[in-house]
Amino acid sequence: MKYIVLIFISLACFIRTKADNPSEFVEVYETYMVDLMPQFPGGDIAMMKFINRERKYPREAYHDGIEGRVRCSFVVNEDGRISNVSVLRSVEKSLDDEAIRIISEMPHWEAGEINNQPVPVYYILSIPFRK
């Protein structure tokens, strides 16, 4: 009975997210479940440099003094591609759209792993916008 419960708990830890095709779902792992976390090429410092270099503050939002952090989620796939980018916490539509664009244009990441096998991993990242 113990083994059945453990198998059920393991299966319940998957996240089901819509695939690029809206009629499909993809099962992905949470970050706490993987042995090796997915990583932006070059690490966190390289990721912040990428975000700062690519970010184009929307003109009207800048002039209106709109600031904040857009919290996004996405999946780092087994091959390192980014997919299923969505906004979890919005600031303003133009900032949300810019955050999605930045994440969507990221280079391939180093995939997360379980038992030395690449797996899709659900990831959350905030993109800051401040004057």
Side-chain angles (χ1 to χ4, degrees):
M1 182 68 172
K2 259 199 251 188
Y3 297 109
I4 293 171
V5 172
L6 287 175
I7 290 170
F8 178 74
I9 290 171
S10 296
L11 293 175
C13 291
F14 281 110
I15 295 175
R16 290 178 59 89
T17 184
K18 283 193 175 187
D20 292 330
N21 179 347
S23 65
E24 295 179 13
F25 283 90
V26 176
E27 291 183 345
V28 298
Y29 292 88
E30 294 256 3
T31 54
Y32 70 87
M33 297 176 65
V34 297
D35 300 329
L36 181 64
M37 289 281 294
Q39 186 173 341
F40 186 88
D44 290 342
I45 293 172
M47 178 171 56
M48 290 311 301
K49 286 181 181 178
F50 175 86
I51 290 169
N52 290 334
R53 184 178 63 245
E54 295 298 316
R55 182 179 40 226
K56 297 176 181 132
Y57 212 122
R59 184 173 307 201
E60 196 166 317
Y62 183 83
H63 290 302
D64 291 346
I66 299 171
E67 297 181 326
R69 291 179 169 272
V70 179
R71 180 169 292 160
C72 295
S73 68
F74 54 95
V75 174
V76 179
N77 293 291
E78 299 98 321
D79 62 0
R81 282 182 311 105
I82 302 296
S83 66
N84 304 90
V85 182
S86 64
V87 173
L88 297 177
R89 189 177 69 207
S90 174
V91 173
E92 188 271 337
K93 173 115 173 71
S94 66
L95 298 184
D96 298 350
D97 291 344
E98 178 62 6
I100 289 171
R101 184 192 69 77
I102 292 167
I103 293 170
S104 297
E105 293 182 2
M106 285 183 167
H108 289 196
W109 286 40
E110 297 167 21
E113 293 182 359
I114 295 178
N115 296 325
N116 294 320
Q117 294 296 316
V119 294
V121 179
Y122 180 77
Y123 202 90
I124 295 175
L125 178 66
S126 293
I127 305 291
F129 292 89
R130 56 185 163 269
K131 290 177 85 170

